[in-house]
Amino acid sequence: MKRGEKSSDTWIYDQVFGAILEQRLRPETKLTESELCDVFGVSRTIIRKVLLRLSLDRVVELRPNRGAIIAAPEPKEVREIFDARRLLEDGIVTEAARKCRQVDTDALESMSRQEHKCIDAQDISGAIRLSGDFHLKLAEIAGNRPLHELLRQLVAQTSLAIARYVPAGQGMCDDDDHDRLISAIASGDVELSRRIMREHLSACERRLMLETPETHSDLRLVFADVVAAQ
Amino acid sequence: MKRGEKSSDTWIYDQVFGAILEQRLRPETKLTESELCDVFGVSRTIIRKVLLRLSLDRVVELRPNRGAIIAAPEPKEVREIFDARRLLEDGIVTEAARKCRQVDTDALESMSRQEHKCIDAQDISGAIRLSGDFHLKLAEIAGNRPLHELLRQLVAQTSLAIARYVPAGQGMCDDDDHDRLISAIASGDVELSRRIMREHLSACERRLMLETPETHSDLRLVFADVVAAQ
DNA sequence: TGAATTATAATTGTATACAATCTGAATAAC
DNA sequence: GTTATTCAGATTGTATACAATTATAATTCA
């Protein structure tokens, strides 16, 4: 079973990955192998390959003998992801600002327009995905394949973080950081580009409710003081 | 089949990965599934899982219908890997210099001593592996899991680059950059640490013979001028 | 009734069987 | 003699069968 030119497992991987990016699959959702087999009409061999790849991207958690679930990053992990992104994307935006050509600017602007359209249409899922694609496009412009690949992993994990820590229906990027970023990059202003990127990522991070306690809290901790007072 | 606590596929993955790091498996070596099955006494299911993981780490190249070979990064890719490492490890060493405790310094010094021992004993393989472990230890000290994981991939690819572009039997790090790095980090001198790291990585890169033409060159390019003059 | 235990069903882990594809040598054509 | 072609063997891709483990329901015993 092939769709287009890709192998079936890559196609299925993209479908599941996309569903996670667009939050149609939310954190902690169980991914039963046989169900995925039915959905995509392939054997468990293929599904297990897809799940392994997703787990190595850390968007799926593979629990031995207990199946796969969509990953649910803890607040601490999310902060580390943003720290890592600030580091990587500082380098990426620096290089992008140096190398950016007219075609690149056009591509970025096109992506930003699409993103605005999604936001206007309340299409949160689409907006989140396009926002990630925008950052990956910068990595592509910067022209470093390993960095691009590493950022791809971090962007995916960021989408999970957004899915988990932003109230459903609320957007992440109602401002126009991306447009300001495009201007700075197109003009080749490295320092300005870096500052915008740094502040953009920090603004995204602040919008997440990382201080909110976990839904499945430790009962001993929850009632610690009550029990102590008793 | 379990060795210690790990699952058999993780154990086999480590064995193959280690063999690549230590250059017992050189670039372009064919990894036939049935041979690996015999060697490790498991079915192809397990071997294929291991090969998939290795290919996602980009240390193995999985060619559709044509099997797996040890990856052989091109000079351009190697330069990109070093560029990526300079970026990541700049952030890592900065954080490591801030957070480094006595136990960490002790661990680093112990690793460096081991490395010197390997070099003295002409154990190039061991030295390459320990050198990578040293850099990964810094990432661990820096305390950012995603970054640590990303660097792990880059370190593995660096080992491949060394395997390919350093003449057999010649060491990479006969100087004591690592020791100077430990001193700088232990003293908490961020700027000095960063400079040493940056120069250390660049020195490693320069030691590679990236300007050497490929063994399997493009015949059209090789004879381009001859044909044109004819 | 309620906790513990057992039995049963569902799910995952691994090996194997079979199909598809590739490789290379032998044969055929020029 | 060189280039095509065909065919056999080897290798990879996928599906399925069976074993091991976990989850759930039923049952037993206090």
Side-chain angles (χ1 to χ4, degrees):
Chain A
M1 174 182 298
K2 290 201 176 189
R3 326 256 176 164
E5 295 303 312
K6 291 179 178 176
S7 60
S8 71
D9 61 273
T10 299
W11 184 80
I12 296 171
Y13 169 87
D14 286 341
Q15 296 307 307
V16 179
F17 201 97
I20 294 172
L21 285 184
E22 296 181 357
Q23 308 194 352
R24 302 200 310 276
L25 282 172
R26 293 189 66 81
E28 297 191 290
T29 304
K30 178 85 193 286
L31 297 174
T32 308
E33 293 179 2
S34 54
E35 283 186 42
L36 291 171
C37 289
D38 292 344
V39 169
F40 293 106
V42 293
S43 75
R44 285 178 55 218
T45 307
I46 308 294
I47 296 301
R48 285 176 70 80
K49 197 196 290 190
V50 170
L51 291 176
L52 178 59
R53 285 180 61 183
L54 291 166
S55 79
L56 294 172
D57 288 332
R58 293 198 187 281
V59 296
V60 156
E61 190 186 336
L62 229 49
R63 306 162 303 174
N65 285 314
R66 301 190 53 239
I69 58 172
I70 307 292
E74 301 294 308
K76 179 171 180 292
E77 292 175 76
V78 176
R79 289 191 204 95
E80 290 181 354
I81 289 164
F82 274 96
D83 281 336
R85 282 193 65 166
R86 270 186 289 269
L87 179 62
L88 259 69
E89 301 206 64
D90 184 63
I92 286 170
V93 82
T94 299
E95 213 47 40
R98 287 187 185 133
K99 292 186 178 168
C100 195
R101 301 272 168 275
Q102 187 59 46
V103 283
D104 300 321
T105 310
D106 295 343
L108 289 172
E109 282 173 345
S110 165
M111 295 177 87
S112 179
R113 275 196 300 274
Q114 270 196 278
E115 199 184 335
H116 278 298
K117 249 186 257 177
C118 283
I119 292 168
D120 292 344
Q122 300 276 327
D123 176 8
I124 311 292
S125 306
I128 290 169
R129 178 160 209 174
L130 283 165
S131 172
D133 287 347
F134 178 86
H135 284 259
L136 289 175
K137 182 69 186 173
L138 290 178
E140 196 185 312
I141 294 169
N144 184 305
R145 263 243 302 177
L147 271 186
H148 184 274
E149 185 59 27
L150 300 182
L151 184 62
R152 197 186 63 80
Q153 299 176 29
L154 293 178
V155 164
Q157 292 171 46
T158 305
S159 295
L160 278 180
I162 295 172
R164 192 165 197 208
Y165 295 107
V166 172
Q170 184 182 318
M172 271 293 288
C173 308
D174 39 2
D175 50 13
D176 43 24
D177 280 353
H178 285 186
D179 293 315
R180 297 197 297 126
L181 201 47
I182 295 173
S183 305
I185 290 170
S187 72
D189 190 334
V190 170
E191 288 311 315
L192 180 60
S193 302
R194 291 177 64 193
R195 189 162 65 249
I196 294 174
M197 176 62 89
R198 193 170 56 244
E199 287 169 5
H200 171 56
L201 288 171
S202 295
C204 286
E205 186 180 4
R206 277 194 302 274
R207 235 171 260 129
L208 301 178
M209 303 190 303
L210 295 181
E211 67 290 341
T212 306
E214 292 301 302
T215 34
H216 300 292
S217 301
D218 188 329
L219 288 181
R220 275 174 292 276
L221 283 172
V222 172
F223 297 112
D225 50 348
V226 181
V227 173
Q230 186 190 26
Chain B
M1 174 182 298
K2 291 199 174 191
R3 325 258 174 161
E5 297 300 314
K6 291 178 177 175
S7 60
S8 71
D9 61 272
T10 299
W11 185 80
I12 295 171
Y13 168 88
D14 287 340
Q15 296 307 308
V16 179
F17 201 98
I20 294 172
L21 285 185
E22 296 182 355
Q23 309 193 352
R24 302 201 308 277
L25 284 172
R26 293 189 67 81
E28 298 192 288
T29 304
K30 178 86 192 289
L31 298 174
T32 309
E33 294 179 2
S34 54
E35 283 186 43
L36 291 171
C37 290
D38 291 344
V39 169
F40 293 107
V42 292
S43 75
R44 283 178 56 217
T45 308
I46 307 294
I47 295 300
R48 284 177 69 82
K49 196 196 292 190
V50 169
L51 290 176
L52 178 60
R53 286 180 61 184
L54 290 167
S55 79
L56 294 172
D57 287 332
R58 294 198 185 281
V59 297
V60 156
E61 192 186 335
L62 229 49
R63 305 163 304 174
N65 285 313
R66 303 191 52 238
I69 57 170
I70 306 293
E74 301 293 308
K76 179 172 180 290
E77 292 176 75
V78 176
R79 287 189 206 97
E80 289 180 355
I81 290 163
F82 273 98
D83 281 336
R85 280 192 67 165
R86 269 185 289 269
L87 179 62
L88 260 69
E89 301 205 64
D90 184 65
I92 285 170
V93 81
T94 298
E95 212 50 39
R98 287 186 186 132
K99 290 185 179 168
C100 195
R101 302 270 168 274
Q102 187 59 48
V103 282
D104 301 320
T105 309
D106 293 344
L108 289 172
E109 283 174 343
S110 164
M111 296 177 86
S112 178
R113 272 195 301 274
Q114 271 197 276
E115 200 185 333
H116 279 298
K117 249 186 258 178
C118 284
I119 293 168
D120 293 343
Q122 300 275 329
D123 177 8
I124 311 292
S125 307
I128 290 169
R129 178 161 210 173
L130 282 165
S131 172
D133 288 346
F134 178 87
H135 285 257
L136 289 175
K137 181 69 187 176
L138 290 178
E140 195 185 312
I141 294 169
N144 184 306
R145 262 243 302 177
L147 272 186
H148 184 274
E149 185 58 26
L150 300 182
L151 183 63
R152 197 186 62 81
Q153 299 177 29
L154 293 178
V155 165
Q157 293 171 46
T158 306
S159 293
L160 278 181
I162 296 172
R164 192 164 196 210
Y165 295 106
V166 173
Q170 185 182 321
M172 271 293 287
C173 308
D174 40 2
D175 50 11
D176 41 26
D177 280 354
H178 286 185
D179 292 316
R180 296 197 299 127
L181 201 47
I182 296 173
S183 304
I185 290 170
S187 71
D189 189 335
V190 171
E191 288 312 315
L192 179 60
S193 302
R194 291 177 64 193
R195 189 162 64 247
I196 294 174
M197 176 62 88
R198 192 169 57 243
E199 287 169 5
H200 171 54
L201 288 171
S202 294
C204 286
E205 187 180 3
R206 275 194 304 274
R207 234 170 262 131
L208 300 178
M209 302 191 303
L210 294 182
E211 69 288 344
T212 304
E214 292 300 304
T215 33
H216 299 292
S217 301
D218 188 329
L219 286 181
R220 275 173 292 276
L221 283 172
V222 171
F223 298 111
D225 51 348
V226 180
V227 173
Q230 188 188 27

